[in-house]
């Protein structure tokens, strides 16, 4: 669960807790518990929303960015030699990002209008 939450916050810095909870399919009580754990370990920072004093925005910390880079470096070493063409790697990455974005949009219902017109 923590990985899903961190991944979403990393890709959507400044997101609201509600949006992150919906995108990761976690009930608010579970999401709150996961978020507290991530904050306690110094991976997520809550910042009061400038436009809404009751709202907060979630940001990955410097520690989270360093951990993310370590993970990427490990994946790079693990996958090295499987596909060496940078253009192919970029196509695969772009496709995976689009799939992830579309799945998140479907979960949150943001594509409901588009479905009605198709």
């Amino acid at each position: 669960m923590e990985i899903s939450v961190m991944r979403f916050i990393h890709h959507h810095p400044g997101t609201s807790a509600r949006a992150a909870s919906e995108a990761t399919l976690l009930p608010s009580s579970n999401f709150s518990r996961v978020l507290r754990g991530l904050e306690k370990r110094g991976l997520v920072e809550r910042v009061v929303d400038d436009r809404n004093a009751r709202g907060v925005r979630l940001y990955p910390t410097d520690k989270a960015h360093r951990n993310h880079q370590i993970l990427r470096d490990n994946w790079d070493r693990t996958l090295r030699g499987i596909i060496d063409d940078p253009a192919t790697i970029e196509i695969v990455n772009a496709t995976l990002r689009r799939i992830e974005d579309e799945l998140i949009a479907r979960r949150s219902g943001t594509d409901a209008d588009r479905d009605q017109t198709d």
Side-chain angles (χ1 to χ4, degrees), residues 62-81:
D62 288 340
K63 180 179 180 180
H65 287 296
R66 287 191 304 272
N67 286 352
H68 185 259
Q69 188 59 50
I70 290 168
L71 180 64
R72 288 181 60 93
D73 292 345
N74 284 333
W75 271 111
D76 182 54
R77 281 192 299 279
T78 300
L79 299 175
R80 190 173 294 137

Side-chain angles (χ1 to χ4, degrees), residues 2 23 28 35 59 94 97-98 111:
E2 290 179 342
S28 60
L35 186 58
Y59 293 91
R97 278 191 298 273
R98 181 170 178 213
D111 64 345

Side-chain angles (χ1 to χ4, degrees), residues 30-83:
N30 290 357
F31 181 81
S32 295
R33 183 177 41 80
V34 169
L35 186 58
R36 280 192 305 273
L38 292 170
E39 284 182 291
K40 193 175 198 176
R41 290 201 317 276
L43 297 170
V44 173
E45 179 181 19
R46 290 186 205 217
V47 176
V48 175
D49 190 337
D50 291 339
R51 296 175 302 219
N52 176 5
R54 294 184 307 162
V56 296
R57 297 290 171 184
L58 305 175
Y59 293 91
T61 63
D62 288 340
K63 180 179 180 180
H65 287 296
R66 287 191 304 272
N67 286 352
H68 185 259
Q69 188 59 50
I70 290 168
L71 180 64
R72 288 181 60 93
D73 292 345
N74 284 333
W75 271 111
D76 182 54
R77 281 192 299 279
T78 300
L79 299 175
R80 190 173 294 137
I82 295 173
I83 298 176

